[in-house]
Amino acid sequence: MKTNFSKEYKSFEGEILNFIHDFNEIGTPEFEGQRNEIKVFNFGKIKINIKSFKIPNAINKIAYRFFRKSKAERSFEYAQSLISKNIGTPHPIAFAENKLAFTFLDSYYVCEHLKYDLTFRELIHEPEYPDHEKILRAFTRFTFKMHEQEIEFLDHSPGNTLIQLNNGDYKFFLVDLNRMNFKKMNFDARMRNFHRITPSLGMARIMANEYATLISEPEEKVFERMSFYIERFQRKAKRKKNIKNMLKFR
Protein backbone atom coordinates (compact mmCIF):
# COMPACT_ATOMS: atom_id res chain seq x y z
CA MET A 1 0.00 0.00 0.00
CA LYS A 2 1.29 3.44 -0.97
CA THR A 3 0.62 6.12 1.64
CA ASN A 4 1.42 9.73 2.37
CA PHE A 5 0.58 11.55 5.63
CA SER A 6 0.56 15.21 6.57
CA LYS A 7 3.27 16.02 9.08
CA GLU A 8 0.71 16.70 11.84
CA TYR A 9 -0.59 13.11 11.63
CA LYS A 10 2.53 11.16 10.67
CA SER A 11 2.91 9.76 14.18
CA PHE A 12 -0.63 8.32 14.02
CA GLU A 13 -0.06 6.45 10.78
CA GLY A 14 -0.63 3.00 12.27
CA GLU A 15 -3.95 3.88 13.88
CA ILE A 16 -5.32 5.54 10.76
CA LEU A 17 -4.21 2.66 8.54
CA ASN A 18 -6.14 0.31 10.83
CA PHE A 19 -9.28 2.33 10.05
CA ILE A 20 -8.57 1.95 6.34
CA HIS A 21 -7.90 -1.79 6.61
CA ASP A 22 -11.18 -2.31 8.49
CA PHE A 23 -13.15 0.27 6.47
CA ASN A 24 -15.89 -2.17 5.41
CA GLU A 25 -16.57 -3.31 8.98
CA ILE A 26 -16.30 -0.15 11.10
CA GLY A 27 -17.06 3.56 10.93
CA THR A 28 -20.29 5.54 10.68
CA PRO A 29 -21.58 5.90 7.10
CA GLU A 30 -21.74 9.52 5.92
CA PHE A 31 -22.31 9.03 2.19
CA GLU A 32 -22.49 6.12 -0.23
CA GLY A 33 -22.61 6.49 -4.01
CA GLN A 34 -21.85 4.36 -7.01
CA ARG A 35 -18.26 5.53 -7.20
CA ASN A 36 -17.24 6.21 -3.61
CA GLU A 37 -18.21 5.97 0.05
CA ILE A 38 -17.47 8.20 3.04
CA LYS A 39 -17.37 7.10 6.66
CA VAL A 40 -16.72 9.01 9.90
CA PHE A 41 -14.36 7.63 12.56
CA ASN A 42 -13.76 8.76 16.13
CA PHE A 43 -10.10 9.62 16.58
CA GLY A 44 -9.26 10.86 20.05
CA LYS A 45 -10.99 14.19 20.63
CA ILE A 46 -11.81 14.73 16.95
CA LYS A 47 -13.56 12.90 14.14
CA ILE A 48 -12.01 12.05 10.79
CA ASN A 49 -13.53 11.32 7.39
CA ILE A 50 -12.27 8.51 5.18
CA LYS A 51 -13.39 8.53 1.57
CA SER A 52 -13.10 5.20 -0.20
CA PHE A 53 -12.77 5.39 -3.99
CA LYS A 54 -14.05 2.20 -5.60
CA ILE A 55 -11.93 0.07 -7.93
CA PRO A 56 -11.88 1.99 -11.25
CA ASN A 57 -12.77 0.70 -14.70
CA ALA A 58 -10.30 -1.28 -16.79
CA ILE A 59 -8.80 1.77 -18.52
CA ASN A 60 -8.30 3.74 -15.31
CA LYS A 61 -6.81 0.71 -13.58
CA ILE A 62 -3.89 1.08 -15.98
CA ALA A 63 -3.95 4.89 -16.05
CA TYR A 64 -3.82 5.25 -12.26
CA ARG A 65 -1.18 2.56 -11.98
CA PHE A 66 1.28 4.06 -14.46
CA PHE A 67 0.25 7.44 -15.90
CA ARG A 68 -2.05 9.49 -13.66
CA LYS A 69 -2.31 10.33 -10.00
CA SER A 70 -5.26 8.64 -8.30
CA LYS A 71 -8.31 10.56 -7.08
CA ALA A 72 -7.14 10.04 -3.51
CA GLU A 73 -3.66 11.44 -4.17
CA ARG A 74 -5.06 14.40 -6.09
CA SER A 75 -7.55 15.12 -3.29
CA PHE A 76 -4.73 15.14 -0.74
CA GLU A 77 -2.43 17.36 -2.79
CA TYR A 78 -5.18 19.74 -3.87
CA ALA A 79 -6.33 20.15 -0.26
CA GLN A 80 -2.79 21.13 0.71
CA SER A 81 -2.71 23.64 -2.15
CA LEU A 82 -6.04 25.15 -1.11
CA ILE A 83 -4.90 25.58 2.49
CA SER A 84 -1.64 27.20 1.33
CA LYS A 85 -3.77 29.72 -0.60
CA ASN A 86 -6.08 30.31 2.41
CA ILE A 87 -9.07 28.65 0.72
CA GLY A 88 -11.23 26.60 3.09
CA THR A 89 -11.29 22.81 2.98
CA PRO A 90 -11.28 20.13 5.70
CA HIS A 91 -7.69 19.62 6.82
CA PRO A 92 -6.00 16.82 4.83
CA ILE A 93 -4.55 13.92 6.80
CA ALA A 94 -3.44 11.24 4.37
CA PHE A 95 -4.10 9.19 1.27
CA ALA A 96 -3.56 5.49 0.67
CA GLU A 97 -3.59 3.34 -2.46
CA ASN A 98 -3.71 -0.40 -3.10
CA LYS A 99 -1.83 -1.47 -6.22
CA LEU A 100 -0.57 -4.62 -7.85
CA ALA A 101 2.36 -4.91 -10.25
CA PHE A 102 0.33 -4.07 -13.35
CA THR A 103 -2.98 -2.70 -12.12
CA PHE A 104 -4.58 -0.28 -9.69
CA LEU A 105 -7.10 -1.33 -7.05
CA ASP A 106 -8.81 1.01 -4.58
CA SER A 107 -7.72 4.19 -2.81
CA TYR A 108 -8.61 6.28 0.24
CA TYR A 109 -8.51 9.96 1.16
CA VAL A 110 -8.47 10.93 4.85
CA CYS A 111 -9.28 14.36 6.26
CA GLU A 112 -10.55 15.96 9.44
CA HIS A 113 -14.32 15.86 9.87
CA LEU A 114 -15.79 19.34 9.59
CA LYS A 115 -18.92 20.51 11.39
CA TYR A 116 -21.05 22.67 9.11
CA ASP A 117 -24.50 24.26 9.10
CA LEU A 118 -25.56 23.81 5.48
CA THR A 119 -24.36 23.24 1.95
CA PHE A 120 -25.02 25.46 -1.04
CA ARG A 121 -27.81 23.04 -1.97
CA GLU A 122 -30.02 24.40 0.83
CA LEU A 123 -29.78 27.87 -0.69
CA ILE A 124 -31.28 26.48 -3.90
CA HIS A 125 -34.12 24.54 -2.31
CA GLU A 126 -34.92 27.01 0.49
CA PRO A 127 -35.10 30.51 -1.03
CA GLU A 128 -36.46 31.83 2.28
CA TYR A 129 -33.46 30.54 4.23
CA PRO A 130 -32.41 33.18 6.82
CA ASP A 131 -29.94 35.70 5.33
CA HIS A 132 -30.19 33.91 2.00
CA GLU A 133 -28.91 36.83 -0.06
CA LYS A 134 -26.13 37.71 2.39
CA ILE A 135 -24.84 34.12 2.30
CA LEU A 136 -25.09 34.06 -1.50
CA ARG A 137 -23.10 37.27 -1.82
CA ALA A 138 -20.48 35.98 0.63
CA PHE A 139 -20.24 32.78 -1.41
CA THR A 140 -19.69 34.87 -4.55
CA ARG A 141 -16.85 36.73 -2.83
CA PHE A 142 -15.40 33.37 -1.81
CA THR A 143 -15.55 32.16 -5.43
CA PHE A 144 -13.95 35.39 -6.64
CA LYS A 145 -11.12 34.90 -4.14
CA MET A 146 -10.67 31.35 -5.42
CA HIS A 147 -10.47 32.63 -9.00
CA GLU A 148 -7.97 35.31 -8.00
CA GLN A 149 -5.83 32.57 -6.44
CA GLU A 150 -5.86 30.83 -9.87
CA ILE A 151 -8.03 27.92 -8.72
CA GLU A 152 -10.56 26.40 -11.12
CA PHE A 153 -12.71 24.00 -9.10
CA LEU A 154 -14.20 21.79 -11.80
CA ASP A 155 -16.76 20.25 -9.42
CA HIS A 156 -18.05 23.63 -8.20
CA SER A 157 -21.54 22.19 -7.61
CA PRO A 158 -24.20 22.58 -4.85
CA GLY A 159 -23.12 19.69 -2.64
CA ASN A 160 -19.41 20.46 -2.71
CA THR A 161 -19.37 23.65 -0.65
CA LEU A 162 -19.89 23.32 3.11
CA ILE A 163 -20.98 26.48 4.92
CA GLN A 164 -20.49 27.51 8.53
CA LEU A 165 -22.66 30.31 9.93
CA ASN A 166 -20.95 32.33 12.64
CA ASN A 167 -23.20 35.31 13.40
CA GLY A 168 -22.81 36.68 9.89
CA ASP A 169 -19.18 35.62 9.48
CA TYR A 170 -19.81 32.99 6.80
CA LYS A 171 -17.08 30.46 6.12
CA PHE A 172 -16.94 28.21 3.06
CA PHE A 173 -15.13 24.89 2.63
CA LEU A 174 -14.65 22.92 -0.57
CA VAL A 175 -14.97 19.12 -0.65
CA ASP A 176 -14.74 16.45 -3.38
CA LEU A 177 -11.47 17.92 -4.55
CA ASN A 178 -10.05 15.51 -7.12
CA ARG A 179 -10.89 17.65 -10.18
CA MET A 180 -9.13 21.01 -10.19
CA ASN A 181 -6.97 23.18 -12.39
CA PHE A 182 -4.50 25.70 -11.04
CA LYS A 183 -4.14 28.40 -13.67
CA LYS A 184 -4.90 32.02 -14.40
CA MET A 185 -8.57 32.31 -15.39
CA ASN A 186 -9.89 34.79 -17.93
CA PHE A 187 -13.35 36.35 -17.68
CA ASP A 188 -15.10 33.64 -19.68
CA ALA A 189 -13.53 30.82 -17.65
CA ARG A 190 -14.62 32.51 -14.42
CA MET A 191 -18.22 32.77 -15.62
CA ARG A 192 -18.21 29.17 -16.86
CA ASN A 193 -17.13 28.05 -13.40
CA PHE A 194 -20.60 29.00 -12.09
CA HIS A 195 -22.44 26.75 -14.55
CA ARG A 196 -23.14 23.86 -12.17
CA ILE A 197 -23.74 25.77 -8.96
CA THR A 198 -27.46 26.62 -9.40
CA PRO A 199 -30.25 26.35 -11.98
CA SER A 200 -31.81 29.57 -10.63
CA LEU A 201 -31.30 32.67 -12.75
CA GLY A 202 -32.59 34.70 -9.81
CA MET A 203 -29.63 33.49 -7.75
CA ALA A 204 -27.36 34.06 -10.74
CA ARG A 205 -28.56 37.70 -10.91
CA ILE A 206 -27.49 38.28 -7.30
CA MET A 207 -24.13 36.55 -7.85
CA ALA A 208 -23.58 38.54 -11.04
CA ASN A 209 -24.30 41.79 -9.20
CA GLU A 210 -21.77 40.93 -6.49
CA TYR A 211 -19.12 39.53 -8.84
CA ALA A 212 -19.37 42.57 -11.13
CA THR A 213 -18.33 44.88 -8.30
CA LEU A 214 -15.33 42.69 -7.55
CA ILE A 215 -14.07 42.28 -11.10
CA SER A 216 -15.01 45.82 -12.21
CA GLU A 217 -17.13 44.69 -15.15
CA PRO A 218 -20.68 45.77 -16.08
CA GLU A 219 -23.28 43.72 -14.24
CA GLU A 220 -25.19 42.90 -17.45
CA LYS A 221 -22.03 41.52 -19.05
CA VAL A 222 -21.38 39.30 -16.02
CA PHE A 223 -25.00 38.13 -15.85
CA GLU A 224 -25.19 37.42 -19.59
CA ARG A 225 -22.14 35.14 -19.54
CA MET A 226 -22.99 33.50 -16.23
CA SER A 227 -26.59 32.78 -17.24
CA PHE A 228 -25.48 31.56 -20.67
CA TYR A 229 -23.32 28.82 -19.13
CA ILE A 230 -25.95 27.94 -16.49
CA GLU A 231 -28.69 27.54 -19.09
CA ARG A 232 -26.44 25.56 -21.43
CA PHE A 233 -25.53 23.15 -18.62
CA GLN A 234 -29.20 22.75 -17.64
CA ARG A 235 -30.16 21.93 -21.22
CA LYS A 236 -27.44 19.30 -21.46
CA ALA A 237 -28.40 17.82 -18.08
CA LYS A 238 -32.08 17.66 -19.09
CA ARG A 239 -31.21 16.04 -22.42
CA LYS A 240 -29.04 13.46 -20.70
CA LYS A 241 -31.77 12.68 -18.18
CA ASN A 242 -34.36 12.27 -20.94
CA ILE A 243 -32.10 9.86 -22.82
CA LYS A 244 -31.58 7.80 -19.68
CA ASN A 245 -35.31 7.68 -19.06
CA MET A 246 -35.98 6.59 -22.64
CA LEU A 247 -33.43 3.80 -22.42
CA LYS A 248 -34.82 2.70 -19.06
CA PHE A 249 -38.38 2.66 -20.47
CA ARG A 250 -37.30 0.55 -23.42
Side-chain angles (χ1 to χ4, degrees):
M1 177 177 281
K2 174 185 175 181
T3 63
N4 191 4
F5 280 75
S6 62
K7 60 182 181 180
E8 299 92 336
Y9 285 90
K10 185 66 178 175
S11 60
F12 303 105
E13 181 173 349
E15 296 168 67
I16 294 171
L17 286 180
N18 284 337
F19 291 147
I20 292 175
H21 292 148
D22 297 330
F23 183 86
N24 292 331
E25 287 74 39
I26 62 175
T28 303
E30 178 87 353
F31 170 83
E32 184 170 7
Q34 292 182 338
R35 293 179 296 178
N36 53 65
E37 181 179 3
I38 301 174
K39 286 187 174 182
V40 180
F41 296 80
N42 293 316
F43 186 68
K45 295 182 179 179
I46 69 167
K47 296 179 184 290
I48 64 173
N49 280 3
I50 300 181
K51 185 173 186 177
S52 168
F53 295 95
K54 303 293 177 65
I55 296 176
N57 61 37
I59 294 174
N60 282 334
K61 283 182 180 180
I62 302 301
Y64 292 156
R65 179 63 184 86
F66 297 106
F67 306 111
R68 295 182 62 201
K69 292 180 179 179
S70 71
K71 291 181 178 181
E73 183 172 5
R74 279 180 277 148
S75 297
F76 180 72
E77 292 184 352
Y78 292 167
Q80 292 179 319
S81 294
L82 291 179
I83 288 173
S84 72
K85 295 174 181 290
N86 200 28
I87 299 295
T89 192
H91 190 82
I93 294 174
F95 77 89
E97 301 171 341
N98 284 313
K99 302 178 181 180
L100 297 177
F102 298 103
T103 192
F104 186 93
L105 300 176
D106 54 355
S107 61
Y108 302 84
Y109 171 59
V110 188
C111 66
E112 293 181 0
H113 181 70
L114 181 76
K115 291 183 179 180
Y116 61 95
D117 298 292
L118 70 156
T119 69
F120 192 91
R121 186 176 285 114
E122 280 78 9
L123 298 180
I124 297 173
H125 297 303
E126 300 178 41
E128 301 302 318
Y129 195 94
D131 294 329
H132 185 280
E133 184 173 330
K134 289 182 180 179
I135 300 170
L136 189 56
R137 289 184 180 276
F139 169 81
T140 305
R141 294 192 295 271
F142 169 76
T143 300
F144 175 78
K145 178 182 176 182
M146 185 169 65
H147 292 165
E148 289 290 286
Q149 293 288 341
E150 302 185 357
I151 300 166
E152 183 181 24
F153 183 28
L154 299 177
D155 284 325
H156 202 31
S157 56
N160 289 341
T161 298
L162 311 181
I163 306 172
Q164 291 179 342
L165 308 177
N166 299 295
N167 297 319
D169 179 22
Y170 311 116
K171 297 184 183 299
F172 303 89
F173 301 85
L174 302 181
V175 295
D176 201 1
L177 306 179
N178 66 86
R179 296 180 64 242
M180 286 191 175
N181 290 323
F182 294 87
K183 64 179 184 181
K184 189 174 181 63
M185 298 174 67
N186 61 25
F187 175 78
D188 212 55
R190 290 169 181 241
M191 297 300 99
R192 187 170 59 248
N193 199 217
F194 284 92
H195 75 291
R196 298 182 63 187
I197 199 66
T198 177
S200 168
L201 294 187
M203 294 176 69
R205 171 62 76 178
I206 295 171
M207 292 190 293
N209 174 266
E210 187 70 26
Y211 204 98
T213 64
L214 299 168
I215 201 172
S216 299
E217 292 281 1
E219 179 181 337
E220 285 306 315
K221 177 182 177 181
V222 175
F223 179 69
E224 186 279 327
R225 283 285 87 187
M226 190 184 292
S227 60
F228 167 80
Y229 285 115
I230 289 173
E231 290 182 315
R232 187 176 72 171
F233 175 76
Q234 291 300 317
R235 287 194 300 270
K236 287 182 178 179
K238 185 176 180 179
R239 192 181 309 125
K240 185 177 180 180
K241 183 178 181 180
N242 288 340
I243 292 172
K244 282 186 176 181
N245 289 337
M246 287 173 58
L247 293 175
K248 187 184 297 184
F249 180 75
R250 290 180 182 180

